[in-house]
């Protein structure tokens, strides 16, 4: 039995509902593959912020260092500004642990209707690779002359050769293992310094991956093409901001942001990586038991891959695929009436049947 220590941060809203669902599935597939999970829960959340004035304690990052992975449910509450909740928890973890790759797979599953008529199951299967620790989301900048007519805000984007190169190398290598096609998101016709620099590094790194076809698209045109012809894409790589926007757009193409997973990866495995669904805390449905657990469960499958158990991860995604294709067990965001527990239970049952 291989046992992995998982730092569990259910967080806010539906995060506290989908996280136990993901663990139920992990435990089910783990029993089949001889994998155990030791979950240690941390109450770091907007509730903690209201109570103690901080999303996590000052030594929070240090408390996580000894874990094999971090699993995060969701962050956010209506009465806590988003920049407070994100910069108080999620972003410090990403940066302290050098989680410079944000991996977001996108797939249209059989049984889920995409809002795009042309998006067919089996035809849409691509990955957005987002640079995750620098770019437009830097801490450099500030506010001046608050409250006066000449008030101003300055936010600096930071693109380093090391930071861009390492995420490009990851994306090119991933494309080489998939269909061999990479698309770079840029806006070098309007942003005069950082994005031409990004383009130069894409061309430079492409020479090291001769088996990968690559092209680049300006972000505005890319958004349009992602809607008009999503099947053309394999791996899309973009800056922190562009990758964030594209992956949410892509999740909508797939039929629901409720199914979208993500992995915040430290590819060198020098630090723990973090896994989380994309959907956020969804306070409008929190506590009703109808949250879609698939985004969290798919994120758990990505965690299995990262921890060295690709067969177990594939078994989880296979169960998801089968349930969506062969049953009407789906939550309201997918047009059904199932509860979180019912959908999770069906997935666990499928895994048990596979084990038998």
């Amino acid at each position: 039995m291989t046992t992995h220590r998982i730092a569990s941060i259910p967080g806010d809203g539906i995060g506290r509902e989908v996280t136990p669902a993901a663990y139920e599935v992990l435990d089910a597939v783990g029993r089949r593959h001889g994998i155990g999970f030791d979950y240690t829960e941390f109450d770091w959340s907007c509730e903690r912020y209201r109570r103690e004035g901080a999303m996590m304690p000052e030594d929070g990052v240090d408390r996580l260092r000894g874990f094999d992975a971090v699993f995060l449910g969701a962050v956010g509450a209506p009465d806590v500004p988003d920049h407070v909740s994100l910069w108080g928890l999620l972003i410090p973890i990403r940066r302290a642990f050098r989680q410079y790759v944000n991996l977001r797979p996108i797939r249209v599953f059989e049984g889920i209707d995409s809002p795009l008529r042309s998006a067919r199951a089996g035809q849409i299967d691509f990955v957005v690779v987002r640079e995750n620790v620098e770019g437009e989301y830097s801490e450099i900048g500030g506010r001046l002359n608050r409250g006066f007519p000449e008030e101003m805000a300055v936010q600096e984007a930071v693109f380093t050769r090391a930071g861009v190169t390492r995420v490009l190398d990851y994306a090119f290598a991933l494309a080489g293992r998939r269909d061999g096609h990479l698309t770079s998101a840029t806006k070098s016709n309007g942003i005069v310094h950082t994005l031409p620099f990004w383009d130069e590094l894409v061309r430079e790194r492409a020479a090291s991956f001769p088996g990968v076809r690559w092209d680049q698209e300006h972000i505005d045109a890319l958004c349009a093409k992602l809607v008009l012809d999503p099947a053309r894409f394999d791996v899309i790589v973009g800056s922190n901001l562009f990758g964030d926007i594209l992956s949410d757009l892509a999740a909508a193409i797939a039929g629901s942001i409720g199914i979208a997973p993500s992995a915040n990866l430290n590819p060198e495995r020098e630090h723990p990586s973090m896994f989380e669904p994309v959907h956020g805390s969804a306070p409008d449905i929190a506590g009703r038991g109808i949250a879609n657990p698939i985004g969290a469960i798919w994120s758990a499958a990505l965690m299995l891959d990262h921890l060295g158990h690709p067969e177990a991860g594939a078994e989880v995604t296979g169960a998801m695929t089968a349930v969506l294709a062969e049953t009407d067990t789906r939550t309201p965001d997918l047009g059904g009436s199932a509860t979180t527990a019912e959908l999770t239970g069906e997935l666990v049952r499928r895994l048990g049947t596979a084990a038998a």
Side-chain angles (χ1 to χ4, degrees), residues 75-134:
V75 177
D79 59 337
V80 177
D82 286 341
H83 70 276
V84 170
S85 58
L86 290 175
W87 282 89
L89 181 62
L90 180 62
I91 294 178
I93 294 172
R94 287 175 174 173
R95 298 190 173 189
F97 293 147
R98 301 291 181 124
Q99 296 167 354
Y100 60 84
V101 169
N102 186 261
L103 191 69
R104 296 191 177 186
I106 303 295
R107 189 185 307 176
V108 173
F109 290 93
E110 185 178 349
I112 296 182
D113 293 328
S114 168
L116 300 183
R117 288 175 295 177
S118 61
R120 307 293 185 191
Q123 297 178 353
I124 313 301
D125 185 353
F126 62 91
V127 180
V128 177
V129 177
R130 167 191 175 189
E131 196 291 315
N132 207 34
V133 297
E134 52 177 52

Side-chain angles (χ1 to χ4, degrees), residues 70-223:
V70 180
F71 195 91
L72 175 68
V75 177
D79 59 337
V80 177
D82 286 341
H83 70 276
V84 170
S85 58
L86 290 175
W87 282 89
L89 181 62
L90 180 62
I91 294 178
I93 294 172
R94 287 175 174 173
R95 298 190 173 189
F97 293 147
R98 301 291 181 124
Q99 296 167 354
Y100 60 84
V101 169
N102 186 261
L103 191 69
R104 296 191 177 186
I106 303 295
R107 189 185 307 176
V108 173
F109 290 93
E110 185 178 349
I112 296 182
D113 293 328
S114 168
L116 300 183
R117 288 175 295 177
S118 61
R120 307 293 185 191
Q123 297 178 353
I124 313 301
D125 185 353
F126 62 91
V127 180
V128 177
V129 177
R130 167 191 175 189
E131 196 291 315
N132 207 34
V133 297
E134 52 177 52
E136 302 88 349
Y137 294 6
S138 82
E139 298 176 72
I140 301 174
R143 298 275 293 273
L144 185 66
N145 297 323
R146 291 175 184 259
F148 291 96
E150 64 272 24
E151 182 175 3
M152 64 182 292
V154 176
Q155 182 81 37
E156 300 286 350
V158 175
F159 287 66
T160 67
R161 173 173 285 273
V164 176
T165 295
R166 64 191 180 186
V167 77
L168 292 177
D169 283 351
Y170 183 93
F172 271 109
L174 178 62
R177 297 192 299 271
R178 288 174 51 90
D179 290 340
H181 179 211
L182 179 138
T183 300
S184 170
T186 187
K187 190 58 181 171
S188 50
N189 59 344
I191 300 176
V192 70
H193 297 304
T194 56
L195 272 304
F197 178 59
W198 173 281
D199 293 348
E200 291 169 16
L201 292 178
V202 173
R203 288 191 293 272
E204 180 181 299
R205 299 314 303 157
S208 298
F209 299 89
V212 176
R213 296 176 294 111
W214 70 276
D215 51 32
Q216 66 182 42
E217 297 280 358
H218 292 305
I219 186 65
D220 43 355
L222 180 54
C223 286

Side-chain angles (χ1 to χ4, degrees), residues 249-325:
L249 172 61
I253 290 170
S256 170
I257 201 169
I259 68 173
S262 76
N264 301 278
L265 299 177
N266 173 245
E268 295 79 12
R269 303 170 190 267
E270 296 169 345
H271 308 283
S273 294
M274 179 166 60
F275 302 84
E276 54 168 328
V278 173
H279 51 57
S281 60
D284 56 325
I285 63 168
R288 296 170 58 190
I290 59 171
N292 190 339
I294 289 180
I297 290 167
W298 196 355
S299 298
L302 296 179
M303 185 171 72
L304 286 168
D305 291 343
H306 182 74
L307 292 174
H309 309 290
E311 299 87 356
E315 198 167 295
V316 171
T317 55
M320 287 165 33
T321 302
V323 167
L324 293 172

